[in-house]
Amino acid sequence: MALTGLEIYKQLPKKNCGECGVPTCLAFAMALASGKAALDSCPYVTEAARENLDSAAAPPIKAIKFGKDSVLGDETVLFRHDKTFYHPTTLLIHVSDSLSDDELNAKIQEIKGLEFERVGLQYSIDGVAVVQESGDAARYAKVAATVAEATDKSLLLLSNDVVALKAALEPLASRKPLIGSATADNYEAVVNLAKDNSVPVIIKAEGLEALEELVTKAQALGYKEFVLDPGSRTTVNTLENLTQFRRLAIKKKFRPFGFPVITFTSNQDPMEEIMEATVYVAKYASAVVLKTSKKAHLLPLMTLRQNIYTDPQKPIQVEPKLHSVGNVDENSPFYITTNFSLTYYSVEGEVETSKIPSYILPIDTDGTSVLTAYAAGKFEPEKIVEAMNASGIADKVKHRNIIIPGYVAVISGKLSELSGWKVVVGPRESSGIVSFSKTLS
């Protein structure tokens, strides 16, 4: 069980020095107990006290690292508006060892092509789950090696056969794959295999009570690099388990469930499978294994994931520099907007549709939209002129026309006076840019 604030306070040096960022040791102890402070903030805590306070200082959900920069867990809140979510759900594509060599190569190439760019952000699949379904240990090891050689993505090696799992893992141990699954029947062998190779392991049992018991037994083997699988394969039951895990770990500090959770989609129809995966991404899954590897299916899921794991207090922004659309020249129109990602890319998309090469300068408004920025004093003529001078636009065009959003027509007079340029009031909405562009001479 987690320690209370008073129990933690008894272990602290009681200097009340304030160097930890709070005025007293008691206040620091209370912050530590609630997960709002780190023990490392105290420069005077003794090693003995540090050891005693490990349970209070540790995050409620342990961070598990595997493969290429994949981090699972390490979350501290139920809702992102409480603080933020840190590690986006890891998405892995199921690859069966029962595929023929040609089918396997085609699947690998399809996975390697899962790279997307949307509103200036790069999306990609995080890893590959190599699943033994052939019953042939040698075939499984060969497929795992083939996948590992073909891609640098994170690997999950999944088999119920400990011999096959060992044969696939040992040549790839340096890649730090996640392996699984340790069950009530084989947990000693699988956990020890993971421990010997310093890789994380999936602990799987059906039902929360059975899983708690198995986690406790596995920890007794002297290893704690775990990812949990509650064994449920229906959307309703999985959602229920994910919610229970997060609540018990965050609210109750229940250590047996203080590990990341992995889920597996069960729907055979790709569209239904993606709908199922969205539930898991939205509600606490640390990793999701999917069968579909089609771009059209996965992009919506990745977009949802990006939205959920974007800090709600920090809007997505584009770099506030001069952007060009098409083959611009000295006669190209010059648009002004804000650096809020949605606003900028709406403008850019309409400018592209107009087929008139143009310059666009997003003003740094801390990622807020036009009206919001204007109301907050972040879209003022002085700031626009400063950005124009820094961009060098005067050296790129021979005209002196600025196109501003119609919603801020009120700034046109002062902007013209400060810049010396003619201010053209554009449409209020970006959707009007195509028809508006036809009026430009």
Side-chain angles (χ1 to χ4, degrees), residues 42 101 147 166 180 219 254 258 272 285:
C42 177
D101 288 344
V147 172
K166 183 177 181 180
Q219 286 180 318
F254 187 62
E272 291 184 0

Side-chain angles (χ1 to χ4, degrees), residues 112-135:
K112 290 171 69 174
L114 294 174
E115 302 284 342
F116 309 89
E117 180 179 350
R118 180 180 176 274
V119 295
L121 300 174
Q122 298 293 327
Y123 299 168
S124 65
I125 283 295
D126 305 294
V128 181
V130 185
V131 184
Q132 187 190 27
E133 294 177 334
S134 67

Side-chain angles (χ1 to χ4, degrees), residues 99-114:
L99 296 175
S100 68
D101 288 344
D102 288 343
E103 291 172 329
L104 177 61
N105 290 329
K107 188 74 169 180
I108 291 172
Q109 292 306 312
E110 190 171 50
I111 292 171
K112 290 171 69 174
L114 294 174

Side-chain angles (χ1 to χ4, degrees), residues 20-169:
C20 60
V22 293
T24 67
C25 287
L26 180 59
F28 176 67
M30 295 301 178
L32 192 62
S34 63
K36 297 179 180 178
L39 188 58
D40 289 339
S41 299
C42 177
Y44 303 110
V45 66
T46 65
E47 286 304 316
R50 185 182 298 278
E51 185 175 346
N52 292 335
L53 293 173
D54 272 348
S55 62
I61 299 176
K62 182 177 174 64
I64 299 296
K65 300 178 182 180
F66 78 101
K68 183 186 178 183
D69 304 322
S70 293
V71 181
L72 310 180
D74 198 26
E75 301 294 351
T76 60
V77 293
L78 283 173
F79 307 106
R80 69 174 190 158
H81 61 260
D82 290 337
K83 193 172 183 181
T84 188
F85 291 161
Y86 291 108
H87 300 296
T89 304
T90 295
L91 301 178
L92 305 107
I93 301 299
H94 177 289
V95 172
S96 173
D97 71 336
S98 63
L99 296 175
S100 68
D101 288 344
D102 288 343
E103 291 172 329
L104 177 61
N105 290 329
K107 188 74 169 180
I108 291 172
Q109 292 306 312
E110 190 171 50
I111 292 171
K112 290 171 69 174
L114 294 174
E115 302 284 342
F116 309 89
E117 180 179 350
R118 180 180 176 274
V119 295
L121 300 174
Q122 298 293 327
Y123 299 168
S124 65
I125 283 295
D126 305 294
V128 181
V130 185
V131 184
Q132 187 190 27
E133 294 177 334
S134 67
D136 183 340
R139 175 61 182 172
Y140 182 62
K142 179 182 178 181
V143 169
T146 300
V147 172
E149 184 178 358
T151 176
D152 62 352
K153 296 186 181 300
S154 299
L155 298 176
L156 163 59
L157 303 179
L158 201 61
S159 172
N160 293 322
D161 181 350
V162 179
V163 174
L165 195 58
K166 183 177 181 180
L169 169 62

Side-chain angles (χ1 to χ4, degrees), residues 26 60 76 106 113 132 167 179 185 220 235 252 260 268 278 301 303 341 359 377 398:
L26 180 59
T76 60
Q132 187 190 27
I179 69 169
D185 296 328
T235 307
K252 302 297 183 180
Q268 298 303 312
T278 62
L301 179 63
T303 301
S341 182
Y359 288 103
K398 67 179 182 181

Side-chain angles (χ1 to χ4, degrees), residues 347 377 385 388 401:
V347 172
V385 171
M388 288 171 59
N401 299 322

